[in-house]
């Protein structure tokens, strides 16, 4: 997963599922914009999820989550929604595994 991602929905929907993502850095920023559409972001339960944004005749909702591990990845969701929906929440039952183990497996080491 890159350090910065932009999601824009215009009369449609965007779904970002990070439940099995490999986080190469500690902070990931997602800029989400929805106009007459929907942006849905799912994250594992054992990372930190933060966000700020505005819904104008729409919904902007981030279920804030703080990990017990201070070294856990942080996903920051910013943006706005106009007559649409932006939602970020943890996916129940999904946990990010040990990052070093995943990277070794991914790189074939």
């Amino acid at each position: 997963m890159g350090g910065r991602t932009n999601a824009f929905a215009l009369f449609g929907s965007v779904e970002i599922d990070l439940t099995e993502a490999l986080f190469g850095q500690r902070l990931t920023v997602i800029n989400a914009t929805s106009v007459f559409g929907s942006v849905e972001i799912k994250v594992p339960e054992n990372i930190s999820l933060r966000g700020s944004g505005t819904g104008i005749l729409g919904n902007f909702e981030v279920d804030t989550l703080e990990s017990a591990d201070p070294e856990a990845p942080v996903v920051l969701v910013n943006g706005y929604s106009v007559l649409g929906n932006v939602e970020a929440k943890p996916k129940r039952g999904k946990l990010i595994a040990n990052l070093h183990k995943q990277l070794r497996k991914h790189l074939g080491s």
Side-chain angles (χ1 to χ4, degrees):
M1 181 72 201
R4 181 172 303 272
T5 300
N6 295 315
F8 181 76
L10 175 65
F11 291 105
S13 64
V14 174
E15 184 176 325
I16 300 174
D17 189 347
L18 301 176
T19 55
E20 295 184 19
L22 295 175
F23 294 91
Q25 66 287 329
R26 187 156 183 272
L27 177 64
T28 299
V29 178
I30 299 175
N31 295 312
T33 304
S34 170
V35 180
F36 290 101
S38 173
V39 176
E40 185 177 339
I41 302 161
K42 296 176 186 172
V43 300
E45 289 185 307
N46 59 341
I47 69 163
S48 294
L49 176 63
R50 302 176 187 143
S52 65
T54 303
I56 301 168
L57 298 176
N59 179 44
F60 187 95
E61 182 179 345
V62 176
D63 292 346
T64 303
L65 178 67
E66 288 298 325
S67 174
D69 179 7
E71 297 297 316
V74 176
V75 174
L76 177 62
V77 179
N78 296 318
Y80 63 92
S81 171
V82 178
L83 293 167
N85 180 50
V86 173
E87 186 176 286
K89 61 184 177 181
K91 188 170 182 179
R92 296 178 61 90
K94 287 288 191 173
L95 302 175
I96 188 170
N98 183 325
L99 182 60
H100 295 294
K101 182 179 176 182
Q102 281 188 346
L103 281 175
R104 280 192 211 115
K105 182 179 177 183
H106 182 70
L107 297 175
S109 304

